[in-house]
Amino acid sequence: MSYSLDTFVSDDFQPTAFIRSQREYADLEAIARGLDDVMASLQSDLVDLIHRDFDSFMRLTSDLKSTHYEVDAVQGRVANARELIQVLRDAIARKVAAVEAMHAQDVALGERRRALHARLAFLLGLERAERLLSAAGDGP
């Protein structure tokens, strides 16, 4: 006897009623052989399913390992980029400090120049005053 798997997976399957209905067409040994065939088919399907799942699992494992290696490589590049960025930041900080120092020197030189101009103006004023006084002293 040959049975369809659909017979056994329906929600209303009743084993006792199934055996009773099959006894009308075959003896118990024939029913047992038919059920053994169904069982063998189920076992074969189960083995195929396990192999497919195992193959999928192995591919997934391989993909995950590959992804892990790629992530490690990217992390290495990111770490290198961070180091380079830090080197650039340090260099920029040194340049900014140098520019600030030069600016401070320029400010100090500007103040000194203004002070020297003020002294020069004062000395020129004194010189004119001396000339005027000298000219006034030479007079009548």
Side-chain angles (χ1 to χ4, degrees):
M1 294 224 84
S2 176
Y3 301 110
S4 167
L5 290 178
D6 294 336
T7 306
F8 304 103
V9 295
S10 71
D11 291 337
D12 59 349
F13 176 73
Q14 297 291 323
T16 307
F18 172 77
I19 296 294
R20 237 184 257 130
S21 70
Q22 293 303 307
R23 293 241 8 215
E24 295 176 14
Y25 307 108
D27 62 6
L28 285 177
E29 286 182 20
I31 296 171
R33 281 192 302 275
L35 292 174
D36 285 343
D37 290 344
V38 170
M39 180 63 94
S41 174
L42 286 172
Q43 286 175 335
S44 175
D45 290 347
L46 182 60
V47 167
D48 289 344
L49 180 62
I50 289 170
H51 284 132
R52 267 196 328 252
D53 285 351
F54 182 76
D55 289 342
S56 295
F57 175 76
M58 293 308 291
R59 278 193 303 277
L60 177 63
T61 301
S62 176
D63 290 348
L64 287 174
K65 283 181 184 177
S66 174
T67 302
H68 176 73
Y69 294 136
E70 290 173 16
V71 167
D72 284 349
V74 168
Q75 284 177 334
R77 289 192 298 268
V78 167
N80 288 340
R82 282 185 178 153
E83 289 173 12
L84 289 174
I85 288 170
Q86 188 59 48
V87 167
L88 289 173
R89 282 181 177 168
D90 293 344
I92 290 170
R94 286 191 301 274
K95 289 289 184 183
V96 166
V99 167
E100 287 174 345
M102 287 181 2
H103 176 68
Q105 287 176 348
D106 285 348
V107 168
L109 286 173
E111 289 173 4
R112 183 178 164 120
R113 192 176 90 219
R114 281 188 292 281
L116 288 173
H117 277 286
R119 285 183 190 160
L120 179 62
F122 176 73
L123 288 175
L124 290 174
L126 278 178
E127 190 177 275
R128 264 188 253 148
E130 284 178 353
R131 271 186 279 160
L132 285 174
L133 287 173
S134 281
D138 288 340

